Amino acid sequence: MIRVVLADDQTLVRAGFRSILSGEDDIEVVGEAADGEEAVALAHEQRPDVVLMDIRMPGTDGLEATRRITTDPRLAAVRVVILTTFDMDDHVYGALRAGASGFLVKDTEPMELLHGVRVVARGDALIAPAVTRRLISEFANRRKQPAPSPRLNALTEREREVMGLVGAGLSNDEIAARLVLSPATSKTHVSRIMTKLGVRDRAQLVILAYESGMITPGWMT
């Protein structure tokens, strides 16, 4: 059973998401929060698999709540998905940097919401949609040209190549096809990279790939 906490200051929004999620046999909504402080408290109390987190809430906002959840070792298994009204919201990029595993636009289709919750619950990151790559590219492009990160020195040349392709938004299967590897080998490379760099998930690899200067917005397009 996938346990979900809903965090949004609008009661009707929470009710809508609860209605969609509760209709599934494998998903259970275990709590609702109207602000970030409540969301963090519920994360500690319920230890959900996924928190659907609105960014713009009164008091402690979703950005700070996300940071507090993702940096707490006791909540290492909790994944945060950001809910936003606009897919080019500046705060979404900040939330991804803070440790969120992906984001969904609030008017997303029900099937996309359910798919997103399941993807994140199994430990993957919700970064496949082209809009996510566009968002990361847009805001990474506003930053000064970064210096190469010494963290990347731990990677082999093949792992750097794989990380660059992850940063470009390719799936494990797409990486395998491009590098003439088996999907299992591609997945192993990605897992080893995350372990070496100490990142939570694939979304954090994408952020690091941009911010370390490994790839730049528009790369491979």
Side-chain angles (χ1 to χ4, degrees):
M1 184 69 70
I2 300 172
R3 294 161 53 80
V4 178
V5 162
L6 302 174
D8 195 295
D9 62 325
Q10 297 182 50
T11 304
L12 286 177
V13 171
R14 297 199 309 271
F17 280 117
R18 175 183 278 276
S19 176
I20 294 169
L21 296 171
S22 297
E24 301 299 304
D25 293 337
D26 62 332
I27 299 175
E28 178 185 10
V29 177
V30 296
E32 296 185 24
D35 59 41
E37 199 68 37
E38 290 183 6
V40 174
L42 276 173
H44 281 280
E45 177 185 334
Q46 297 291 340
R47 303 298 169 97
D49 300 294
V50 179
V51 178
L52 293 177
M53 181 84 73
D54 185 24
I55 291 182
R56 301 172 186 274
M57 294 185 289
T60 301
D61 64 14
L63 186 61
E64 175 59 23
T66 296
R67 184 179 295 109
R68 286 166 58 180
I69 290 171
T70 60
T71 57
D72 190 331
R74 295 169 297 177
L75 302 177
V78 178
R79 294 291 182 263
V80 177
V81 174
I82 295 300
L83 299 173
T84 180
T85 305
F86 305 105
D87 59 25
M88 293 304 288
D89 188 333
D90 291 43
H91 295 289
V92 173
Y93 183 65
L96 291 172
R97 292 186 69 235
S101 295
F103 80 97
L104 289 167
V105 180
K106 286 188 179 181
D107 63 357
T108 189
E109 294 294 325
M111 291 305 296
E112 292 179 4
L113 170 66
L114 296 171
H115 172 72
V117 168
R118 290 176 176 127
V119 164
V120 172
R122 67 172 181 250
D124 293 329
L126 196 60
I127 65 166
V131 66
T132 307
R133 297 198 295 270
R134 190 176 82 244
L135 176 133
I136 293 172
S137 296
E138 172 70 19
F139 294 111
N141 198 36
R142 298 181 186 181
R143 301 169 61 87
K144 295 180 180 179
Q145 182 63 32
S149 172
R151 295 172 66 184
L152 302 183
N153 294 338
L155 304 182
T156 65
E157 285 302 313
R158 172 62 88 184
E159 287 169 344
R160 286 171 177 263
E161 190 174 15
V162 170
M163 183 174 170
L165 295 175
V166 170
L170 273 64
S171 67
N172 287 342
D173 287 348
E174 290 169 334
I175 292 172
R178 181 174 290 270
L179 299 181
V180 194
L181 304 170
S182 71
T185 299
S186 173
K187 182 178 181 179
T188 297
H189 278 308
V190 173
S191 297
R192 286 177 179 170
I193 293 166
M194 290 193 292
T195 299
K196 285 185 176 182
L197 298 180
V199 298
R200 285 172 61 91
D201 57 30
R202 205 178 185 93
Q204 305 315 300
L205 273 187
V206 174
I207 294 290
L208 184 57
Y210 278 103
E211 295 197 333
S212 67
M214 174 176 283
I215 62 175
T216 57
W219 187 67
M220 283 187 60
T221 59

